[in-house]
Amino acid sequence: MNDAPQPLRLTVRDLSKDYVVRVLDGVQFELRAGEIHALLGANGAGKSTLCKIIAGLIPATSGTMTLNGVPYSPADKRFAESQGVQIVQQELNLIPTLSVAENLLLGRYPQRWGIIDRRALHAQARVALDRFGLTEIRTDRSAGSLGVGQQQMLEIAAALDRNCELLILDEPTAALSAGETERLFQRLAELRKQGVGIIYISHRLDEIAKIADRLTVLRDGKYVSTHAVSEFQPIERVIDLMTGETQAALHALQNHRSYTTERTMIRVAGMSRAPAVRDVSFSVRAGERYGIAGLVGSGRTELLRLIFGADRAESGELFLRGETESRRFHHPQAAVAAGLAMVTEDRKQNGLLLSQSIRVNTTLSSLELLTGAAGVINRRQEVAVVEAERVRLQIHARDIEQSVGTLSGGNQQKVAVAKWLLKEADVFLFDEPTRGIDVAARRNIHQLFDQLAAQGKALIIVSSDLEELFETCDRIGVMSAGRLVSEYTRETWSYEAIMQDCFSGYTQQATRTVSGITS
Amino acid sequence: MTDAPAPVIETSAVDSPRSQRGSLLSSLLQYAGLVGVLMLLILIFSLMSNNFLSKQTLITIANQIPDLLVIAVGMTLVLIIGGIDLSVGSLLALSSAVMGVCMVNYGWPLWAAVPVCLSVGAFCGMLNGVISVKAGIPSFIVTLGMLEMARGSAYLMTDSQTKYIGSSIEWIGVPLKGFAFSPAFLLSLVIVALGQYLLTRTVFGRYCVAIGTNAEAVRMSGIRTAPCSIAVFTISGLLCGLAGVMQTSRLSTADPNAAVGLELAAIAACVIGGTSLMGGRGSVINTFFGVLIIAVLQTGLAQIGATDPIKRVITGAVIIIAVLLDAARQRWKRRG
């Protein structure tokens, strides 16, 4: 590593932001040219607020900033962009109905008298995508037809295609597959060499250990400290700074305990819906946590949706609780009635009613348990039940009437889970259960997996975070290009083996599938 | 269990204010804005006209609004699920026409004609619902088509003639002896109460709000949305039939020209009451106040001698102002 100090790209002094309460309180930050600087903290620590101020999305209440040594107080995003400050936010900001090229060059279309030069548009977009290694994305596709991972890559490519001296990435890899993440990191390393300063927000500590030079920790809107990443060996020790907690609980989780019983709870046989899912078979026992690993786009979400009846399967059968008669669900309602529950990947899209209260969201699936004659809801009982779930899952909110959209990601996810706990399902499908949520909430969710397993539930957990599957699961199945290519137990799995399997379906005409049920 | 993790209550821009528990105070506060506007209008008209604050005005208004009121209740439900029903005025006319034909041409008694009238409304409403839900066509389009079809059918049924029915039906719309209010008005109040109860206390009402908020999330929660949505359109149609009975009794006549443009008045009343056209938010009680505001405005302006064009300008302005106020109130609520 180069020890000669690079010039300062950005300094932030005593920056504060007040809404109803103070969300940023006298924060210090600095970023050198050619540095990747990670910003760490639990959800609500103020990372996103700080980045939004730097990117000109919101104004600061007080404090000063300099950019390349010159006082800097962006009035809006446009000004910040003109100064070379680009932000890629956690939420996707693409316009789904426009083409890839139109999104990529939004606001700076090659034109003459207001008429877009389509050829130049696509040519420029092609160059920008190729430079980022996204050669497989056609520029005339509509952005909405891309997978979430590709959309994320497209947004980053668009930011880099503008004048970019300071790049802010907020959870860029949350939706990316391992391969895409690798590609992104290569690109970031190149940018670092070119002197671009990068602010990097991520909950994935292994990524930070891998790519960042320094890190700054925020806690409850306050500046904690700045360190070289190399000071933390292993990187998990930085969690102590973020939460002030010891790692006892983390270690406790690693002492994995199996609750797997002999009883098969759900068996999936030959589930198919081409091209996303091809002939997938596996089974999960009562008390077992079955992880599904795979690259983004390998068909994991689609598989869960087929099982849950959200999409129609072309073929395939389900056997529940050892029954000999097969089932296939044509609507989630049938799946729920049969004892299935699914916590979806995209909470905002299809998991939660954001503008409704915690109470309404929690009881939505189980109102029939709270109703008397004529479909009238017993309010008192409803409130009691929701309060109980709120305590059990440690949902942090003012009260149960707070609208879910105003909660942090972690608490939103807990509400999405609470909905199904009330329902007392036998089989739980979790799709990316801890994506984009903070360390503490993630731990709560993992503890909940443990409790559910102990109660004899069957859990199917899809996650792009292999560490998470290692921590929580009894077995892991790997999907690649729509097929379930392998299964591992705690004794047999390894990071390298699973990663290889993840890619196997794409590198060759893989036809190998798991036959029968292991162990 | 280890120590509870550090609180991670999101302290971003959207930390909204005080609790909205079902305390009496807060539920009254919910209506305070609309009641305030209503009082203000009454005050203004009382100052501008000597006759406004009188029993006669009250009776006039009470006898004018029942048909609009019951239709607006149905419209509120439709808007809450994220739909819209443009066919209400035509459905009123069609069901009224059917009733007129039954009673005048075939000499049916009232008790036989009313159920037919209600059924026609409910059936057409159900058709709206089934087509828009099952085929996935926006209700705006389906009910626009129904608006034309029902109006045309009303003319066909009656040969474009008004059907004079007379005293056998008038009693519904006439104030009861020694009492200011007609059976129609009292019934419309019952419908408001039932509608509010349905919306806030039952599973059906909860599903309506949920569907209007995020239908896909409701589906993924294991709930079939189609029956609920179809039921809402059916209720709207049924209430059109009921409004048809009410209007026919008020005019003593089944008129195929009746209630042209009523859909816009009903939507206006809902919107003044704070119901969102995007779905997921609305209240039948607030719609009731919205109807009262429109009625007071109409009656008051007539009494101070405003011409029809002026009435329209002012009514339109009030609608826009009401929505602006509501939007401001929502922002304030979110910001705290």
Side-chain angles (χ1 to χ4, degrees):
Chain A
M1 193 159 294
N2 189 357
D3 282 340
Q6 293 272 345
L8 284 174
R9 186 118 279 167
L10 175 83
T11 66
V12 172
R13 291 279 164 266
D14 300 323
L15 199 75
S16 295
K17 176 70 186 174
D18 296 339
Y19 287 118
V20 186
V21 290
R22 178 155 280 211
V23 296
L24 275 188
D25 191 3
V27 167
Q28 321 291 334
F29 183 72
E30 62 171 44
L31 176 71
R32 297 181 195 282
E35 173 187 41
I36 298 180
H37 196 138
L39 207 47
L40 292 173
N43 273 4
K47 301 168 308 223
S48 293
T49 309
L50 175 58
C51 287
K52 282 179 185 169
I53 292 173
I54 295 170
L57 294 167
I58 50 175
T61 308
S62 64
T64 57
M65 293 190 280
T66 66
L67 185 68
N68 299 321
V70 183
Y72 169 72
S73 57
D76 54 23
K77 184 168 186 253
R78 210 182 172 79
F79 177 82
E81 284 181 358
S82 73
Q83 302 297 304
V85 177
Q86 306 292 343
I87 185 169
V88 178
Q89 290 179 270
Q90 198 176 344
E91 299 82 27
L92 294 169
N93 283 312
L94 297 172
I95 302 169
T97 49
L98 293 187
S99 72
V100 166
E102 285 163 333
N103 269 292
L104 199 66
L105 297 168
L106 193 65
R108 39 198 188 102
Y109 292 153
Q111 55 173 301
R112 175 178 272 198
W113 301 313
I115 295 164
I116 296 174
D117 179 349
R118 302 198 64 83
R119 192 171 296 172
L121 175 79
H122 285 281
Q124 286 180 26
R126 187 72 267 156
V127 170
L129 288 176
D130 288 349
R131 202 166 50 192
F132 205 61
L134 295 172
T135 48
E136 76 278 15
I137 299 181
R138 290 175 43 152
T139 59
D140 56 356
R141 267 182 83 173
S142 70
S145 70
L146 299 176
V148 189
Q150 286 185 321
Q151 290 190 23
Q152 180 78 59
M153 295 291 269
L154 178 58
E155 281 220 37
I156 298 170
L160 294 180
D161 194 49
R162 301 187 205 107
N163 163 31
C164 181
E165 292 187 351
L166 195 169
L167 177 65
I168 303 169
L169 297 173
D170 191 348
E171 292 284 351
T173 58
L176 297 189
S177 65
E180 287 166 329
T181 302
E182 199 47 51
R183 212 189 284 172
L184 174 67
F185 285 177
Q186 281 171 13
R187 188 82 185 101
L188 293 183
E190 285 167 30
L191 288 168
R192 167 161 56 188
K193 260 187 221 143
Q194 292 161 19
V196 176
I198 298 168
I199 301 175
Y200 191 89
I201 299 181
S202 177
H203 288 307
R204 298 188 182 172
L205 297 175
D206 51 333
E207 289 179 6
I208 285 163
K210 193 167 168 190
I211 190 147
D213 304 304
R214 289 195 294 168
L215 58 85
T216 289
V217 178
L218 300 180
R219 193 197 306 152
D220 298 331
K222 293 195 181 68
Y223 172 80
V224 177
S225 50
T226 300
H227 305 269
V229 170
S230 54
E231 287 177 36
F232 297 95
Q233 302 277 355
I235 188 73
E236 278 73 20
R237 282 180 44 213
V238 77
I239 295 176
D240 296 344
L241 289 178
M242 288 155 64
T243 62
E245 273 185 272
T246 61
Q247 275 186 289
L250 200 71
H251 288 304
L253 264 178
Q254 277 156 1
N255 297 333
H256 185 86
R257 191 169 156 200
S258 172
Y259 301 99
T260 309
T261 63
E262 290 298 307
R263 196 160 66 95
T264 299
M265 187 66 101
I266 178 170
R267 184 157 74 83
V268 177
M271 194 61 81
S272 289
R273 183 187 165 98
V277 178
R278 297 166 194 272
D279 194 24
V280 171
S281 303
F282 65 98
S283 68
V284 185
R285 297 170 181 205
E288 187 177 29
R289 282 154 287 175
Y290 184 86
I292 299 181
L295 304 176
V296 171
S298 61
R300 299 168 304 167
T301 297
E302 291 81 356
L303 173 63
L304 292 193
R305 287 178 62 90
L306 292 182
I307 295 172
F308 196 58
D311 296 319
R312 292 270 173 106
E314 284 162 0
S315 62
E317 290 167 321
L318 281 178
F319 299 88
L320 290 177
R321 293 172 284 266
E323 292 167 0
T324 49
E325 200 154 319
S326 73
R327 303 166 181 254
R328 181 144 16 127
F329 304 124
H330 295 305
H331 190 286
Q333 190 261 337
V336 170
L340 270 66
M342 178 166 171
V343 177
T344 57
E345 176 181 14
D346 193 332
R347 294 186 290 272
K348 295 180 182 180
Q349 205 71 46
N350 53 26
L352 291 170
L353 309 171
L354 288 181
S355 62
Q356 303 297 335
S357 65
I358 294 174
R359 173 175 56 81
V360 167
N361 274 282
T362 305
T363 58
L364 185 62
S365 294
S366 43
L367 283 173
E368 73 280 359
L369 303 175
L370 305 167
T371 40
V376 179
I377 299 167
N378 183 337
R379 263 302 176 85
R380 193 166 301 165
Q381 199 187 346
E382 184 184 22
V383 168
V385 160
V386 176
E387 284 291 356
E389 288 300 329
R390 177 186 167 202
V391 172
R392 172 175 171 193
L393 289 175
Q394 303 177 21
I395 298 169
H396 298 288
R398 217 173 35 244
D399 58 44
I400 60 169
E401 296 305 318
Q402 189 173 348
S403 71
V404 168
T406 64
L407 298 174
S408 69
N411 285 310
Q412 285 184 357
Q413 186 69 338
K414 289 180 195 172
V415 174
V417 172
K419 175 167 76 180
W420 294 116
L421 295 185
L422 274 184
K423 191 77 190 171
E424 303 259 332
D426 288 333
V427 179
F428 283 81
L429 314 177
F430 288 95
D431 196 357
E432 301 286 0
T434 61
R435 177 177 158 191
I437 73 177
D438 64 276
V439 179
R442 179 183 145 111
R443 195 172 304 167
N444 289 152
I445 300 272
H446 288 178
Q447 283 164 353
L448 182 78
F449 289 168
D450 229 45
Q451 292 164 15
L452 289 173
Q455 290 166 23
K457 315 284 190 192
L459 279 66
I460 302 174
I461 303 161
V462 164
S463 178
S464 293
D465 185 349
L466 259 184
E467 295 295 330
E468 169 164 275
L469 296 181
F470 287 158
E471 275 176 42
T472 57
C473 291
D474 302 299
R475 273 193 302 150
I476 296 177
V478 184
M479 280 190 78
S480 189
R483 294 180 189 279
L484 190 71
V485 293
S486 57
E487 273 181 345
Y488 294 92
T489 63
R490 291 193 79 80
E491 289 72 40
T492 59
W493 71 43
S494 73
Y495 190 85
E496 292 71 23
I498 290 182
M499 287 316 292
Q500 255 176 11
D501 289 346
C502 285
F503 285 98
S504 63
Y506 299 94
T507 50
Q508 61 213 344
Q509 293 300 77
T511 48
R512 187 165 62 102
T513 51
V514 176
S515 51
I517 288 80
T518 55
S519 78
Chain B
M1 179 83 51
T2 52
D3 300 332
V8 284
I9 301 169
E10 187 82 318
T11 44
S12 67
V14 281
D15 230 7
S16 62
R18 65 215 60 97
S19 114
Q20 294 192 347
R21 282 239 173 121
S23 77
L24 191 64
L25 185 71
S26 71
S27 56
L28 281 180
L29 270 175
Q30 202 187 327
Y31 307 123
L34 287 168
V35 173
V37 172
L38 193 59
M39 291 300 158
L40 189 70
L41 285 177
I42 292 174
L43 184 71
I44 291 171
F45 288 125
S46 311
L47 293 175
M48 293 177 75
S49 157
N50 292 330
N51 319 325
F52 186 79
L53 262 188
S54 66
K55 194 179 170 194
Q56 193 48 49
T57 309
L58 182 67
I59 294 173
T60 308
I61 290 177
N63 289 333
Q64 238 173 32
I65 62 172
D67 38 353
L68 175 60
L69 192 51
V70 295
I71 280 184
V73 170
M75 186 69 80
T76 306
L77 294 179
V78 174
L79 293 180
I80 281 174
I81 65 165
I84 197 163
D85 189 347
L86 298 178
S87 66
V88 289
S90 298
L91 289 188
L92 185 157
L94 175 60
S95 37
S96 165
V98 168
M99 191 167 71
V101 168
C102 286
M103 293 181 77
V104 176
N105 295 21
Y106 301 107
W108 288 22
L110 184 65
W111 60 262
V114 166
V116 173
C117 173
L118 299 181
S119 309
V120 168
F123 176 76
C124 294
M126 190 181 71
L127 219 53
N128 279 335
V130 169
I131 295 171
S132 74
V133 170
K134 292 292 179 191
I137 300 170
S139 52
F140 186 99
I141 307 292
V142 176
T143 58
L144 184 63
M146 182 60 78
L147 177 152
E148 288 299 324
M149 283 166 50
R151 182 66 67 180
S153 306
Y155 287 127
L156 285 175
M157 299 257 354
T158 56
D159 274 337
S160 305
Q161 309 276 307
T162 56
K163 299 277 177 189
Y164 180 76
I165 298 171
S167 59
S168 61
I169 197 170
E170 278 167 5
W171 62 271
I172 298 174
V174 174
L176 295 167
K177 270 211 182 74
F179 193 58
F181 302 124
S182 65
F185 178 69
L186 296 176
L187 182 58
S188 68
L189 291 185
V190 171
I191 298 288
V192 168
L194 276 179
Q196 181 71 5
Y197 189 78
L198 189 70
L199 185 61
T200 57
R201 295 283 176 233
T202 67
V203 175
F204 174 74
R206 182 71 60 82
Y207 285 175
C208 289
V209 174
I211 289 169
T213 309
N214 185 343
E216 184 56 19
V218 175
R219 191 175 92 93
M220 290 301 281
S221 298
I223 296 159
R224 288 185 192 274
T225 57
C228 186
S229 302
I230 293 171
V232 166
F233 280 99
T234 309
I235 290 172
S236 177
L238 176 71
L239 291 176
C240 291
L242 183 61
V245 175
M246 289 171 169
Q247 193 178 51
T248 310
S249 75
R250 182 149 55 86
L251 306 174
S252 325
T253 297
D255 179 2
N257 285 308
V260 171
L262 191 69
E263 59 279 355
L264 297 182
I267 293 168
C270 294
V271 166
I272 289 173
T275 298
S276 164
L277 285 182
M278 311 297 291
R281 182 164 64 85
S283 146
V284 175
I285 300 279
N286 282 343
T287 294
F288 173 54
F289 287 122
V291 170
L292 283 183
I293 286 171
I294 290 180
V296 165
L297 208 55
Q298 295 287 332
T299 314
L301 287 170
Q303 283 198 11
I304 63 172
T307 60
D308 195 50
I310 290 178
K311 269 162 72 177
R312 297 185 72 157
V313 170
I314 292 179
T315 309
V318 166
I319 292 170
I320 292 176
I321 291 167
V323 177
L324 286 176
L325 285 176
D326 185 60
R329 198 172 63 93
Q330 290 298 324
R331 265 202 302 277
W332 175 79
K333 213 170 102 180
R334 244 176 278 139
R335 211 173 280 159

